[in-house]
């Protein structure tokens, strides 16, 4: 799926350039020497290059000041050559991440972390959507997993991952529609046709419309309560950062399980560190109708969705 999306973006980039436009250019600000951050940034740069997007890394030491970071974002905001900007997180403790994310112009904010993009997402307005949330949405939609009226558990309430995923899945995408009885009638009728699978959900102009009943669980949800919720869920999305948080006894037969977890654990067999998600994959796959692995599941699709945001930002199609 990630490869398919990348091919679509590559075609999009080529057709954008063939119309006489500049090649999209992504600037990534990377602070310090966190090995995971360096790995993620390398993957983003490689993927960008594969679809024809130019990119650059602006590398700063871990003692860089917040003022300098804001100066850099200001320069990039004003640079017409730069169409997309992201600051790799986490930032060192002396820097306020919210202030830095808000320092990026919302039109170039390919991570969708600017307060304007988050606000617009929450109000069903067009926005640059955080790539992990888009990836989960895309996996669900492209796989044909139904969300309308279904029970969804999102385990994890982070503002960049759990919250936007829950936003996309619970909404009808219509709250900010223009007034007028005709449009209201049209949207209600269309929603009814979608619910009966007579027309695809992509055929009407909505931002996102999961229309699911979404439960958000978090670190203070008692485990036995979490199990009660997950056993009722048609879709379980886990972004908690806890290995084996979801075990097979917590999953309803035929449920879809999407694992957003990234955990580095010691592997007693090899003696090395290995990457695992939040789901007990081998046990849960027996109950689930659909499950994403870690690595090789949500991660590559997230990178592809970041590139999609980079193309959207270059085309300035988010009004
Ligand atoms: N660190 C972990 N995930 C992300 C992400 O999606 N964007 C940025 N900027 N930093 C991250």
């Amino acid at each position: 799926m990630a490869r398919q999306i990348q091919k679509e973006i590559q075609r999009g980039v080529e057709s954008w350039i063939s119309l006489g436009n500049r090649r999209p250019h992504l600037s990534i600000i990377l602070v310090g020497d966190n090995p995971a951050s360096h790995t993620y940034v390398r993957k983003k740069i490689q993927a960008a290059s594969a679809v024809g997007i130019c990119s650059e890394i602006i590398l700063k030491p871990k003692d860089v000041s917040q003022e300098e970071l804001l100066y850099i974002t200001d320069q990039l905001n004003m640079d017409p050559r730069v169409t997309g900007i992201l600051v790799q997180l986490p930032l060192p403790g002396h820097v306020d991440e919210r202030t830095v994310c808000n320092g990026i112009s919302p039109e170039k904010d390919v991570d969708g972390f600017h307060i304007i993009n988050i606000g617009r997402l929450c109000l069903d307005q067009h926005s640059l959507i955080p790539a992990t949330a888009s990836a989960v949405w895309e996996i669900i939609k492209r796989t044909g997993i139904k969300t309308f009226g279904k029970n969804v558990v999102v385990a994890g309430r982070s503002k960049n991952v759990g919250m936007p995923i829950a936003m996309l899945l619970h909404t009808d995408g219509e709250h900010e529609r223009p007034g007028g009885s005709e449009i209201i009638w049209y949207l209600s009728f269309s929603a009814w046709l979608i619910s009966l699978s007579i027309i695809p959900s992509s055929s009407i102009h909505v931002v996102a419309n999961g229309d699911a009943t979404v439960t958000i669980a978090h670190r203070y949800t008692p485990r036995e309560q979490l199990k009660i919720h997950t056993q009722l869920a048609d879709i379980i999305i886990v972004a908690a950062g806890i290995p084996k948080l979801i075990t097979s006894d917590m999953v309803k037969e035929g449920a879809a399980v999407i694992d957003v977890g990234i955990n580095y654990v010691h592997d007693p067999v090899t003696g090395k560190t290995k990457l695992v998600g939040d789901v007990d994959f081998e046990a849960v796959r027996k109950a689930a109708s659909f499950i994403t692995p870690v690595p090789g599941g949500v991660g590559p699709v997230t990178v592809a969705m970041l590139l999609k945001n980079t193309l959207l930002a270059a085309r300035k199609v988010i009004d």
Side-chain angles (χ1 to χ4, degrees), residues 151-156 166 170 212-217 221 226 229-230 237:
N151 289 333
V152 175
V153 167
V154 179
H170 88 277
T213 306
V214 177
T215 302
I216 304 174
T221 307
L226 176 62
H229 290 294
T230 56
I237 300 158

Side-chain angles (χ1 to χ4, degrees), residues 279-291:
V279 175
D280 184 1
F281 183 83
E282 285 308 326
V284 171
R285 73 186 303 181
K286 297 188 181 93
S289 62
F290 176 85
I291 184 166

Side-chain angles (χ1 to χ4, degrees), residues 40 44 86-90 111 113 131-132 302:
Y40 293 143
K44 290 171 187 179
L86 76 82
V87 180
Q88 186 65 27
L89 304 179
D111 259 334
F113 293 168
T132 311
T302 298

